[in-house]
Amino acid sequence: MKKKTLSIIILYILISLSGTFTAWSILCPAPMNTNIPKIKSYATDFWWNLDLKKTPLNIVIEANLTTFYGNLELWQVELYYTSEIYGGQEIRIYGVLLYPKNKRNLPGILLIHGYGGNMEQMLHYGRFLAINDYAVLLIDAPGHGKSTSFPKPTPQNIVNVTENPLGGYLAHAIIASLRGLEVLRNQKFVNKVNLGICGFSMGGIISFIAGRLDWNVKAIVPIVASGNFPLAIACGGLANIMIPIESRLSSKEIINLCKYFDVLPYAREIT
């Protein structure tokens, strides 16, 4: 990755999104809950039993367009790909691939939106990255935008991990992102071993985890995402919109959610 250019781009995105953080802190303050449970052990080994490549990507190009960002010309490819087969249903993910014309060996970046959003909210940043010689894939997570509406990203589905971590919504959003990285690797103009992943809020959580699981990822840029879910919830952070309002920090469902999907154990293994 071109470190100087990427640093400038990250700063630009953070400044652009700062209004969102300020509004949340003003409108949704919450007192500190001092009774915060500690997660005694994490469980992330379940990922290694998955064989995602056994399901074909089945990439379908919906449109191949030319777009402009300022005076610079970009390719804009609208596509769908298969993330997985779950509950007997094929989960199709919508994405937009942006890249500069007449360039090869481009570093690839996957951009992931936040909870309840869609890839349109990240499109401006994707174009900015593309004019700086990156190939950028923006996706709609499952249940968002133009992607398959199943599984739904409800708070109840997010904490549905007590019996099986792969039953929870976050697992499916992470799988969609891992498959998105595979879509980037399938492009002849992308450097297959020079990939990055960037996400906002829920997308930031996904970027931590997917970036850890895919060893070809060289840069991970989570925005408004951190580990220690119990503390984030107790402090009234954005994590609260992703869990049922009646859930207690000490409940089995929240403890298990943290055990499987808190970013702390994944971040510790990123080198």
Side-chain angles (χ1 to χ4, degrees), residues 29-80:
M32 168 68 80
N33 183 339
T34 56
N35 187 24
I36 302 173
K38 291 186 177 180
I39 309 302
K40 296 179 180 179
S41 63
Y42 296 98
T44 61
D45 291 347
F46 66 93
W47 288 110
W48 309 122
N49 296 322
L50 287 179
D51 182 10
L52 298 179
K53 291 186 178 181
K54 70 180 181 181
T55 302
L57 283 168
N58 290 331
I59 300 171
V60 174
I61 305 299
E62 293 285 306
N64 202 334
L65 310 171
T66 295
T67 187
F68 286 87
Y69 191 86
N71 295 323
L72 297 175
E73 195 173 18
L74 300 171
W75 284 115
Q76 178 170 315
V77 180
E78 299 177 14
L79 56 83
Y80 282 90

CSV table of all heavy atoms in Angstrom, one decimal, residues 29-80:
chain,number,residue,atom,x,y,z
A,29,PRO,N,-26.5,10.5,24.9
A,29,PRO,CA,-25.6,10.2,26.0
A,29,PRO,C,-26.1,9.1,26.9
A,29,PRO,O,-27.3,8.9,27.0
A,29,PRO,CB,-25.6,11.6,26.7
A,29,PRO,CG,-26.9,12.1,26.5
A,29,PRO,CD,-27.3,11.7,25.1
A,30,ALA,N,-25.2,8.4,27.6
A,30,ALA,CA,-25.6,7.4,28.5
A,30,ALA,C,-24.6,7.3,29.7
A,30,ALA,O,-23.4,7.5,29.5
A,30,ALA,CB,-25.6,6.0,27.8
A,31,PRO,N,-25.1,7.1,30.9
A,31,PRO,CA,-24.2,7.1,32.0
A,31,PRO,C,-23.4,5.8,32.0
A,31,PRO,O,-23.8,4.8,31.5
A,31,PRO,CB,-25.2,7.1,33.2
A,31,PRO,CG,-26.4,6.5,32.7
A,31,PRO,CD,-26.5,6.9,31.3
A,32,MET,N,-22.2,5.9,32.6
A,32,MET,CA,-21.3,4.7,32.7
A,32,MET,C,-21.9,3.7,33.6
A,32,MET,O,-22.4,4.0,34.7
A,32,MET,CB,-19.9,5.1,33.2
A,32,MET,CG,-19.1,4.0,33.6
A,32,MET,SD,-18.5,3.0,32.2
A,32,MET,CE,-17.2,4.0,31.6
A,33,ASN,N,-22.0,2.5,33.1
A,33,ASN,CA,-22.5,1.3,34.0
A,33,ASN,C,-21.2,0.7,34.6
A,33,ASN,O,-20.4,0.1,33.9
A,33,ASN,CB,-23.2,0.3,33.1
A,33,ASN,CG,-23.8,-0.8,33.9
A,33,ASN,OD1,-23.3,-1.1,35.0
A,33,ASN,ND2,-24.8,-1.5,33.4
A,34,THR,N,-21.1,0.8,35.9
A,34,THR,CA,-19.8,0.3,36.5
A,34,THR,C,-19.8,-1.2,36.6
A,34,THR,O,-18.8,-1.8,36.9
A,34,THR,CB,-19.7,0.9,37.9
A,34,THR,OG1,-20.8,0.7,38.7
A,34,THR,CG2,-19.4,2.4,37.8
A,35,ASN,N,-21.0,-1.9,36.5
A,35,ASN,CA,-21.1,-3.3,36.6
A,35,ASN,C,-20.9,-4.0,35.2
A,35,ASN,O,-21.8,-4.5,34.6
A,35,ASN,CB,-22.4,-3.7,37.2
A,35,ASN,CG,-22.5,-5.2,37.5
A,35,ASN,OD1,-21.5,-5.8,37.7
A,35,ASN,ND2,-23.7,-5.7,37.5
A,36,ILE,N,-19.6,-3.9,34.7
A,36,ILE,CA,-19.3,-4.4,33.4
A,36,ILE,C,-18.7,-5.8,33.5
A,36,ILE,O,-17.7,-6.0,34.1
A,36,ILE,CB,-18.4,-3.4,32.7
A,36,ILE,CG1,-19.0,-2.0,32.6
A,36,ILE,CG2,-18.0,-3.9,31.3
A,36,ILE,CD1,-18.0,-1.0,32.1
A,37,PRO,N,-19.3,-6.8,32.9
A,37,PRO,CA,-18.8,-8.1,33.0
A,37,PRO,C,-17.5,-8.3,32.2
A,37,PRO,O,-17.3,-7.6,31.2
A,37,PRO,CB,-19.9,-9.0,32.3
A,37,PRO,CG,-20.6,-8.1,31.4
A,37,PRO,CD,-20.6,-6.7,32.1
A,38,LYS,N,-16.6,-9.1,32.7
A,38,LYS,CA,-15.4,-9.4,32.0
A,38,LYS,C,-15.5,-10.7,31.2
A,38,LYS,O,-16.0,-11.7,31.7
A,38,LYS,CB,-14.2,-9.5,32.9
A,38,LYS,CG,-13.8,-8.1,33.6
A,38,LYS,CD,-12.6,-8.3,34.4
A,38,LYS,CE,-12.2,-6.9,35.0
A,38,LYS,NZ,-11.0,-7.0,35.8
A,39,ILE,N,-15.1,-10.7,30.0
A,39,ILE,CA,-15.1,-11.9,29.1
A,39,ILE,C,-13.9,-12.8,29.5
A,39,ILE,O,-12.8,-12.3,29.2
A,39,ILE,CB,-15.2,-11.6,27.6
A,39,ILE,CG1,-16.3,-10.6,27.3
A,39,ILE,CG2,-15.4,-12.9,26.8
A,39,ILE,CD1,-17.7,-11.0,27.7
A,40,LYS,N,-14.2,-13.9,30.1
A,40,LYS,CA,-13.0,-14.7,30.6
A,40,LYS,C,-12.3,-15.4,29.5
A,40,LYS,O,-11.1,-15.6,29.6
A,40,LYS,CB,-13.6,-15.7,31.6
A,40,LYS,CG,-14.2,-15.1,32.9
A,40,LYS,CD,-14.7,-16.2,33.8
A,40,LYS,CE,-15.3,-15.5,35.1
A,40,LYS,NZ,-15.9,-16.5,36.0
A,41,SER,N,-13.0,-15.8,28.4
A,41,SER,CA,-12.3,-16.4,27.3
A,41,SER,C,-13.0,-16.1,26.0
A,41,SER,O,-14.3,-15.9,26.0
A,41,SER,CB,-12.2,-17.9,27.5
A,41,SER,OG,-13.5,-18.5,27.6
A,42,TYR,N,-12.3,-16.1,24.9
A,42,TYR,CA,-12.9,-15.9,23.6
A,42,TYR,C,-12.9,-17.1,22.8
A,42,TYR,O,-12.1,-18.0,23.1
A,42,TYR,CB,-12.2,-14.8,22.9
A,42,TYR,CG,-12.2,-13.4,23.5
A,42,TYR,CD1,-11.2,-13.0,24.4
A,42,TYR,CD2,-13.3,-12.6,23.4
A,42,TYR,CE1,-11.3,-11.7,25.0
A,42,TYR,CE2,-13.4,-11.3,24.0
A,42,TYR,CZ,-12.4,-10.9,24.8
A,42,TYR,OH,-12.5,-9.7,25.4
A,43,ALA,N,-13.7,-17.2,21.8
A,43,ALA,CA,-13.8,-18.4,21.0
A,43,ALA,C,-13.9,-18.0,19.5
A,43,ALA,O,-14.9,-17.6,19.0
A,43,ALA,CB,-15.0,-19.3,21.4
A,44,THR,N,-12.8,-18.1,18.8
A,44,THR,CA,-12.7,-17.7,17.4
A,44,THR,C,-12.4,-18.9,16.5
A,44,THR,O,-12.3,-18.7,15.2
A,44,THR,CB,-11.7,-16.6,17.2
A,44,THR,OG1,-10.4,-17.0,17.6
A,44,THR,CG2,-12.1,-15.4,18.1
A,45,ASP,N,-12.2,-20.0,17.0
A,45,ASP,CA,-11.7,-21.2,16.2
A,45,ASP,C,-12.8,-21.7,15.2
A,45,ASP,O,-12.5,-22.4,14.3
A,45,ASP,CB,-11.3,-22.3,17.1
A,45,ASP,CG,-10.0,-22.0,17.9
A,45,ASP,OD1,-9.3,-21.0,17.5
A,45,ASP,OD2,-9.7,-22.8,18.8
A,46,PHE,N,-14.0,-21.3,15.4
A,46,PHE,CA,-15.1,-21.8,14.6
A,46,PHE,C,-14.9,-21.4,13.1
A,46,PHE,O,-15.4,-22.1,12.2
A,46,PHE,CB,-16.5,-21.3,15.1
A,46,PHE,CG,-16.7,-19.9,15.0
A,46,PHE,CD1,-17.3,-19.3,13.9
A,46,PHE,CD2,-16.3,-19.0,16.0
A,46,PHE,CE1,-17.5,-17.9,13.8
A,46,PHE,CE2,-16.5,-17.7,16.0
A,46,PHE,CZ,-17.1,-17.1,14.8
A,47,TRP,N,-14.2,-20.3,12.9
A,47,TRP,CA,-14.0,-19.8,11.5
A,47,TRP,C,-13.1,-20.8,10.7
A,47,TRP,O,-13.3,-20.9,9.5
A,47,TRP,CB,-13.2,-18.5,11.5
A,47,TRP,CG,-14.1,-17.3,12.0
A,47,TRP,CD1,-14.0,-16.6,13.2
A,47,TRP,CD2,-15.2,-16.7,11.3
A,47,TRP,NE1,-14.9,-15.6,13.2
A,47,TRP,CE2,-15.7,-15.7,12.1
A,47,TRP,CE3,-15.8,-17.0,10.0
A,47,TRP,CZ2,-16.8,-14.9,11.7
A,47,TRP,CZ3,-16.8,-16.2,9.6
A,47,TRP,CH2,-17.3,-15.2,10.4
A,48,TRP,N,-12.2,-21.5,11.4
A,48,TRP,CA,-11.3,-22.4,10.6
A,48,TRP,C,-12.0,-23.6,10.1
A,48,TRP,O,-11.4,-24.4,9.3
A,48,TRP,CB,-10.1,-22.7,11.5
A,48,TRP,CG,-9.5,-21.5,12.1
A,48,TRP,CD1,-9.3,-21.2,13.4
A,48,TRP,CD2,-9.0,-20.3,11.4
A,48,TRP,NE1,-8.8,-20.0,13.6
A,48,TRP,CE2,-8.6,-19.4,12.4
A,48,TRP,CE3,-9.0,-19.9,10.0
A,48,TRP,CZ2,-8.1,-18.1,12.0
A,48,TRP,CZ3,-8.4,-18.7,9.7
A,48,TRP,CH2,-8.0,-17.8,10.7
A,49,ASN,N,-13.2,-23.9,10.5
A,49,ASN,CA,-14.0,-25.0,9.9
A,49,ASN,C,-14.7,-24.7,8.7
A,49,ASN,O,-15.3,-25.6,8.1
A,49,ASN,CB,-14.9,-25.6,11.0
A,49,ASN,CG,-14.2,-26.1,12.2
A,49,ASN,OD1,-13.1,-26.7,12.1
A,49,ASN,ND2,-14.7,-25.9,13.4
A,50,LEU,N,-14.7,-23.4,8.3
A,50,LEU,CA,-15.5,-23.0,7.1
A,50,LEU,C,-14.7,-23.2,5.8
A,50,LEU,O,-13.5,-22.9,5.8
A,50,LEU,CB,-15.9,-21.5,7.2
A,50,LEU,CG,-17.0,-21.2,8.2
A,50,LEU,CD1,-17.2,-19.7,8.2
A,50,LEU,CD2,-18.3,-21.9,7.9
A,51,ASP,N,-15.3,-23.6,4.8
A,51,ASP,CA,-14.7,-23.7,3.5
A,51,ASP,C,-15.5,-22.9,2.5
A,51,ASP,O,-16.4,-23.4,1.8
A,51,ASP,CB,-14.6,-25.2,3.0
A,51,ASP,CG,-13.8,-25.3,1.7
A,51,ASP,OD1,-13.3,-24.3,1.2
A,51,ASP,OD2,-13.9,-26.4,1.1
A,52,LEU,N,-15.2,-21.6,2.5
A,52,LEU,CA,-16.1,-20.7,1.7
A,52,LEU,C,-15.9,-20.9,0.2
A,52,LEU,O,-16.8,-20.6,-0.6
A,52,LEU,CB,-15.7,-19.2,2.1
A,52,LEU,CG,-16.0,-18.8,3.5
A,52,LEU,CD1,-15.6,-17.4,3.7
A,52,LEU,CD2,-17.5,-19.0,3.9
A,53,LYS,N,-14.7,-21.4,-0.2
A,53,LYS,CA,-14.5,-21.5,-1.6
A,53,LYS,C,-15.3,-22.6,-2.3
A,53,LYS,O,-15.3,-22.7,-3.5
A,53,LYS,CB,-13.0,-21.7,-1.9
A,53,LYS,CG,-12.2,-20.4,-1.5
A,53,LYS,CD,-10.7,-20.6,-1.9
A,53,LYS,CE,-9.9,-19.3,-1.6
A,53,LYS,NZ,-8.5,-19.4,-2.0
A,54,LYS,N,-15.9,-23.5,-1.5
A,54,LYS,CA,-16.6,-24.6,-2.1
A,54,LYS,C,-17.9,-24.0,-2.8
A,54,LYS,O,-18.5,-24.7,-3.6
A,54,LYS,CB,-17.0,-25.6,-1.1
A,54,LYS,CG,-18.0,-25.2,0.0
A,54,LYS,CD,-18.2,-26.4,1.0
A,54,LYS,CE,-19.3,-26.0,2.0
A,54,LYS,NZ,-19.5,-27.1,3.0
A,55,THR,N,-18.3,-22.8,-2.4
A,55,THR,CA,-19.5,-22.2,-3.0
A,55,THR,C,-19.0,-21.2,-4.1
A,55,THR,O,-18.3,-20.3,-3.8
A,55,THR,CB,-20.3,-21.4,-2.0
A,55,THR,OG1,-20.7,-22.3,-0.9
A,55,THR,CG2,-21.5,-20.8,-2.6
A,56,PRO,N,-19.3,-21.4,-5.4
A,56,PRO,CA,-18.9,-20.5,-6.4
A,56,PRO,C,-19.3,-19.1,-6.2
A,56,PRO,O,-20.5,-18.9,-5.7
A,56,PRO,CB,-19.5,-21.1,-7.7
A,56,PRO,CG,-19.8,-22.6,-7.3
A,56,PRO,CD,-20.1,-22.6,-5.9
A,57,LEU,N,-18.5,-18.1,-6.6
A,57,LEU,CA,-18.9,-16.7,-6.5
A,57,LEU,C,-20.0,-16.3,-7.4
A,57,LEU,O,-20.8,-15.5,-7.1
A,57,LEU,CB,-17.7,-15.8,-6.7
A,57,LEU,CG,-16.6,-15.7,-5.6
A,57,LEU,CD1,-15.4,-15.1,-6.2
A,57,LEU,CD2,-17.2,-14.9,-4.5
A,58,ASN,N,-20.1,-17.0,-8.6
A,58,ASN,CA,-21.1,-16.7,-9.6
A,58,ASN,C,-21.3,-15.1,-9.8
A,58,ASN,O,-22.3,-14.6,-9.6
A,58,ASN,CB,-22.5,-17.3,-9.1
A,58,ASN,CG,-22.5,-18.8,-9.2
A,58,ASN,OD1,-21.8,-19.4,-10.0
A,58,ASN,ND2,-23.2,-19.4,-8.4
A,59,ILE,N,-20.2,-14.5,-10.1
A,59,ILE,CA,-20.2,-13.1,-10.3
A,59,ILE,C,-21.0,-12.7,-11.6
A,59,ILE,O,-20.7,-13.3,-12.7
A,59,ILE,CB,-18.7,-12.5,-10.5
A,59,ILE,CG1,-17.9,-12.8,-9.2
A,59,ILE,CG2,-18.8,-11.0,-10.7
A,59,ILE,CD1,-16.5,-12.5,-9.3
A,60,VAL,N,-21.9,-11.8,-11.5
A,60,VAL,CA,-22.7,-11.4,-12.6
A,60,VAL,C,-22.6,-9.9,-12.7
A,60,VAL,O,-22.8,-9.1,-11.8
A,60,VAL,CB,-24.2,-11.8,-12.4
A,60,VAL,CG1,-25.0,-11.1,-13.5
A,60,VAL,CG2,-24.4,-13.3,-12.4
A,61,ILE,N,-22.1,-9.4,-13.9
A,61,ILE,CA,-22.0,-8.0,-14.1
A,61,ILE,C,-23.3,-7.4,-14.6
A,61,ILE,O,-23.9,-7.8,-15.6
A,61,ILE,CB,-20.9,-7.7,-15.2
A,61,ILE,CG1,-19.6,-8.3,-14.8
A,61,ILE,CG2,-20.8,-6.2,-15.4
A,61,ILE,CD1,-19.0,-7.9,-13.6
A,62,GLU,N,-23.8,-6.4,-13.8
A,62,GLU,CA,-25.1,-5.8,-14.2
A,62,GLU,C,-24.9,-4.6,-15.1
A,62,GLU,O,-25.8,-4.3,-15.9
A,62,GLU,CB,-25.8,-5.4,-12.9
A,62,GLU,CG,-26.3,-6.5,-12.0
A,62,GLU,CD,-27.5,-7.2,-12.6
A,62,GLU,OE1,-28.5,-6.5,-12.8
A,62,GLU,OE2,-27.5,-8.4,-12.7
A,63,ALA,N,-23.8,-3.9,-14.9
A,63,ALA,CA,-23.6,-2.7,-15.7
A,63,ALA,C,-22.1,-2.4,-15.7
A,63,ALA,O,-21.4,-2.6,-14.7
A,63,ALA,CB,-24.4,-1.5,-15.2
A,64,ASN,N,-21.6,-1.9,-16.8
A,64,ASN,CA,-20.2,-1.5,-16.9
A,64,ASN,C,-20.2,-0.1,-17.4
A,64,ASN,O,-20.4,0.2,-18.6
A,64,ASN,CB,-19.4,-2.4,-17.8
A,64,ASN,CG,-17.9,-2.4,-17.6
A,64,ASN,OD1,-17.4,-1.5,-17.1
A,64,ASN,ND2,-17.3,-3.5,-17.9
A,65,LEU,N,-19.9,0.9,-16.5
A,65,LEU,CA,-20.1,2.3,-16.9
A,65,LEU,C,-18.8,3.1,-16.7
A,65,LEU,O,-17.9,2.6,-16.1
A,65,LEU,CB,-21.2,2.9,-15.9
A,65,LEU,CG,-22.5,2.2,-15.8
A,65,LEU,CD1,-23.3,2.8,-14.6
A,65,LEU,CD2,-23.3,2.2,-17.0
A,66,THR,N,-18.8,4.2,-17.4
A,66,THR,CA,-17.8,5.2,-17.2
A,66,THR,C,-18.3,6.3,-16.3
A,66,THR,O,-19.4,6.8,-16.5
A,66,THR,CB,-17.3,5.8,-18.5
A,66,THR,OG1,-16.7,4.8,-19.3
A,66,THR,CG2,-16.3,6.9,-18.3
A,67,THR,N,-17.5,6.7,-15.3
A,67,THR,CA,-17.9,7.8,-14.4
A,67,THR,C,-16.8,8.7,-14.2
A,67,THR,O,-15.6,8.4,-14.5
A,67,THR,CB,-18.4,7.3,-13.0
A,67,THR,OG1,-18.9,8.3,-12.2
A,67,THR,CG2,-17.3,6.6,-12.3
A,68,PHE,N,-17.1,9.9,-13.8
A,68,PHE,CA,-16.0,10.9,-13.6
A,68,PHE,C,-16.0,11.4,-12.1
A,68,PHE,O,-17.0,11.5,-11.5
A,68,PHE,CB,-16.3,12.2,-14.5
A,68,PHE,CG,-16.0,11.9,-15.9
A,68,PHE,CD1,-16.9,11.4,-16.8
A,68,PHE,CD2,-14.7,12.2,-16.4
A,68,PHE,CE1,-16.7,11.1,-18.1
A,68,PHE,CE2,-14.4,11.9,-17.8
A,68,PHE,CZ,-15.4,11.4,-18.6
A,69,TYR,N,-14.8,11.6,-11.6
A,69,TYR,CA,-14.6,12.2,-10.3
A,69,TYR,C,-13.7,13.4,-10.6
A,69,TYR,O,-12.5,13.3,-10.8
A,69,TYR,CB,-14.0,11.3,-9.3
A,69,TYR,CG,-14.0,11.7,-7.9
A,69,TYR,CD1,-15.1,11.5,-7.1
A,69,TYR,CD2,-12.9,12.4,-7.4
A,69,TYR,CE1,-15.1,11.9,-5.8
A,69,TYR,CE2,-13.0,12.9,-6.0
A,69,TYR,CZ,-14.1,12.6,-5.3
A,69,TYR,OH,-14.1,13.1,-4.0
A,70,GLY,N,-14.4,14.6,-10.6
A,70,GLY,CA,-13.7,15.8,-11.1
A,70,GLY,C,-13.4,15.6,-12.6
A,70,GLY,O,-14.4,15.3,-13.3
A,71,ASN,N,-12.2,15.8,-13.0
A,71,ASN,CA,-11.9,15.6,-14.4
A,71,ASN,C,-11.3,14.2,-14.7
A,71,ASN,O,-10.9,14.0,-15.9
A,71,ASN,CB,-10.9,16.7,-14.8
A,71,ASN,CG,-11.4,18.1,-14.8
A,71,ASN,OD1,-12.6,18.3,-15.1
A,71,ASN,ND2,-10.6,19.0,-14.4
A,72,LEU,N,-11.3,13.3,-13.7
A,72,LEU,CA,-10.7,12.0,-13.9
A,72,LEU,C,-11.7,11.0,-14.2
A,72,LEU,O,-12.8,10.9,-13.6
A,72,LEU,CB,-9.9,11.7,-12.7
A,72,LEU,CG,-8.7,12.6,-12.3
A,72,LEU,CD1,-8.1,12.2,-11.0
A,72,LEU,CD2,-7.7,12.6,-13.5
A,73,GLU,N,-11.4,10.1,-15.2
A,73,GLU,CA,-12.3,9.1,-15.6
A,73,GLU,C,-12.1,7.8,-14.9
A,73,GLU,O,-10.9,7.3,-14.8
A,73,GLU,CB,-12.2,8.9,-17.2
A,73,GLU,CG,-13.3,8.2,-17.8
A,73,GLU,CD,-13.1,8.2,-19.3
A,73,GLU,OE1,-12.0,8.5,-19.8
A,73,GLU,OE2,-14.1,7.9,-20.0
A,74,LEU,N,-13.2,7.1,-14.5
A,74,LEU,CA,-13.1,5.9,-13.8
A,74,LEU,C,-14.0,4.9,-14.4
A,74,LEU,O,-15.1,5.2,-15.0
A,74,LEU,CB,-13.5,6.0,-12.3
A,74,LEU,CG,-12.7,7.0,-11.4
A,74,LEU,CD1,-13.4,7.2,-10.1
A,74,LEU,CD2,-11.3,6.5,-11.2
A,75,TRP,N,-13.7,3.6,-14.3
A,75,TRP,CA,-14.6,2.5,-14.6
A,75,TRP,C,-15.5,2.3,-13.3
A,75,TRP,O,-15.0,2.3,-12.2
A,75,TRP,CB,-13.9,1.2,-14.9
A,75,TRP,CG,-13.3,1.1,-16.3
A,75,TRP,CD1,-12.0,1.0,-16.6
A,75,TRP,CD2,-14.0,1.2,-17.5
A,75,TRP,NE1,-11.8,1.0,-18.0
A,75,TRP,CE2,-13.0,1.1,-18.6
A,75,TRP,CE3,-15.4,1.2,-17.9
A,75,TRP,CZ2,-13.4,1.1,-19.9
A,75,TRP,CZ3,-15.7,1.2,-19.2
A,75,TRP,CH2,-14.7,1.1,-20.2
A,76,GLN,N,-16.8,2.1,-13.6
A,76,GLN,CA,-17.7,1.8,-12.5
A,76,GLN,C,-18.5,0.5,-12.9
A,76,GLN,O,-19.3,0.6,-13.8
A,76,GLN,CB,-18.7,2.9,-12.2
A,76,GLN,CG,-19.7,2.6,-11.1
A,76,GLN,CD,-20.5,3.8,-10.6
A,76,GLN,OE1,-19.9,4.9,-10.4
A,76,GLN,NE2,-21.8,3.7,-10.5
A,77,VAL,N,-18.2,-0.6,-12.2
A,77,VAL,CA,-18.8,-1.9,-12.6
A,77,VAL,C,-19.8,-2.3,-11.5
A,77,VAL,O,-19.4,-2.4,-10.3
A,77,VAL,CB,-17.7,-3.0,-12.7
A,77,VAL,CG1,-18.4,-4.3,-13.1
A,77,VAL,CG2,-16.7,-2.6,-13.8
A,78,GLU,N,-21.1,-2.4,-11.8
A,78,GLU,CA,-22.1,-2.9,-10.9
A,78,GLU,C,-22.2,-4.4,-11.0
A,78,GLU,O,-22.4,-4.9,-12.1
A,78,GLU,CB,-23.4,-2.1,-11.1
A,78,GLU,CG,-23.3,-0.6,-11.0
A,78,GLU,CD,-24.5,0.1,-11.3
A,78,GLU,OE1,-25.6,-0.5,-11.4
A,78,GLU,OE2,-24.5,1.4,-11.5
A,79,LEU,N,-22.2,-5.1,-9.9
A,79,LEU,CA,-22.2,-6.5,-10.0
A,79,LEU,C,-22.9,-7.2,-8.8
A,79,LEU,O,-23.2,-6.5,-7.8
A,79,LEU,CB,-20.7,-7.0,-10.0
A,79,LEU,CG,-19.7,-6.6,-8.9
A,79,LEU,CD1,-19.9,-7.5,-7.7
A,79,LEU,CD2,-18.3,-6.6,-9.4
A,80,TYR,N,-23.1,-8.5,-8.9
A,80,TYR,CA,-23.6,-9.3,-7.8
A,80,TYR,C,-22.7,-10.5,-7.7
A,80,TYR,O,-22.2,-11.0,-8.7
A,80,TYR,CB,-25.0,-9.8,-8.1
A,80,TYR,CG,-26.1,-8.8,-7.8
A,80,TYR,CD1,-26.5,-7.9,-8.8
A,80,TYR,CD2,-26.7,-8.7,-6.5
A,80,TYR,CE1,-27.5,-7.0,-8.6
A,80,TYR,CE2,-27.7,-7.7,-6.3
A,80,TYR,CZ,-28.1,-6.9,-7.3
A,80,TYR,OH,-29.1,-6.0,-7.1
